[in-house]
Amino acid sequence: MSLVIENASIVIVAKGHNPSILQPYFLHDKNIIPKEWDWEGARSTLTPPLSQIVFKEGFAITAELQKLVFQENEGERVPDKTKLGAIASAYTKILPHVPYTSVGVNFTGHINKTSTEEASSYLLNRFIAKGKWTNYGKTPPAVGVKFVYDIGDSKCTLSLEPGEVIHVDKPQERIPVVFVSVNYHSDANSQKKDWLSTAIAKWADDFRHFIKMVDELVLSN
């Protein structure tokens, strides 16, 4: 039983960001994305309230008026082979005068189970004390759990819930899983002018903390 990483993202909240800036040529010209990426072949959605660019290389950038999202969609590249942190850092450095207010570092994955029943009962038996609430109704309840921890300068939210994913080789088949996701939230700190670059730079450390936390709290006996 192990954790399969699906994607990773860095979400940066800002006041009054201009989504129209996000264009493939801008990213290429400003050296925000790797030179070898096919920026001309990227799939783009460019509108005043929202712009999004999805690269063939498995990476996506979305810009809204109050939010920037940088997402790595190839889980096996996390953390050592992805450009996630470098791209988010380069983008914000190009626009240093935007009033950024918070950063969220997110990881999503799943733990395979043999059946939907096992996926549901796993969380129920591991985290919920037995009582009337565990035997109410005709079938055992479906359980999702959330834990919020203070970790250094971040607030860490770990969420677990049962579900299904599509089989890679057999799209008609679904695999029962326990979904595992985490968010590391950092707010702007007026006492630390470099808070934004620090929050972005430590994303890989957040990932290693996530793996260790899941191993200790979810996977270990």
Side-chain angles (χ1 to χ4, degrees):
M1 184 171 60
S2 61
L3 176 64
V4 178
I5 300 300
E6 297 175 5
N7 60 60
S9 67
I10 296 176
V11 179
I12 302 173
V13 178
K15 296 178 180 178
H17 181 265
N18 184 1
S20 66
I21 293 176
L22 179 59
Q23 298 185 24
Y25 179 74
F26 168 78
L27 298 173
H28 178 265
D29 183 58
K30 297 297 184 181
N31 297 315
I32 294 173
I33 59 172
K35 288 291 186 183
E36 63 272 18
W37 279 18
D38 181 16
W39 62 273
E40 293 181 296
R43 189 171 74 252
S44 302
T45 301
L46 306 175
T47 67
L50 181 147
S51 294
Q52 183 180 66
I53 300 176
V54 180
F55 295 94
K56 295 178 181 179
E57 288 77 9
F59 198 95
I61 304 176
T62 304
E64 301 178 38
L65 291 172
Q66 296 184 340
K67 183 168 63 177
L68 293 167
V69 181
F70 304 87
Q71 183 162 315
E72 170 60 77
N73 293 311
E74 300 294 335
E76 64 273 13
R77 291 205 296 246
V78 179
D80 299 322
K81 297 181 180 180
T82 178
K83 299 294 184 180
L84 177 63
I87 290 175
S89 178
Y91 193 101
T92 54
K93 286 179 180 178
I94 291 294
L95 303 169
H97 301 299
V98 174
Y100 303 106
T101 59
S102 65
V103 173
V105 176
N106 309 283
F107 305 104
T108 301
H110 65 265
I111 301 167
N112 290 340
K113 293 296 179 180
T114 57
S115 66
T116 54
E117 291 76 18
E118 184 194 6
S120 295
S121 63
Y122 178 77
L123 295 178
L124 180 67
N125 295 334
R126 186 172 185 86
F127 296 108
I128 306 299
K130 291 188 179 299
K132 293 181 179 179
W133 47 89
T134 58
N135 295 294
Y136 192 79
K138 295 181 179 179
T139 60
V143 173
V145 295
K146 179 182 293 185
F147 302 92
V148 180
Y149 304 103
D150 285 323
I151 307 294
D153 292 332
S154 302
K155 189 172 291 293
C156 169
T157 302
L158 175 67
S159 300
L160 308 163
E161 62 179 338
E164 295 178 326
V165 296
I166 298 174
H167 196 293
V168 175
D169 300 317
K170 302 176 181 178
Q172 70 278 9
E173 293 186 17
R174 294 184 175 274
I175 302 171
V177 301
V178 171
F179 285 114
V180 184
S181 63
V182 71
N183 168 264
Y184 292 88
H185 179 88
S186 300
D187 285 318
N189 189 325
S190 60
Q191 304 302 315
K192 298 180 180 179
K193 294 183 179 180
D194 62 345
W195 75 271
L196 177 63
S197 59
T198 299
I200 295 174
K202 73 180 186 67
W203 81 269
D205 291 334
D206 290 338
F207 176 77
R208 284 184 277 273
H209 177 271
F210 170 52
I211 295 300
K212 184 174 183 290
M213 178 172 58
V214 170
D215 183 60
E216 292 179 351
L217 304 183
V218 184
L219 296 177
S220 63
N221 295 323

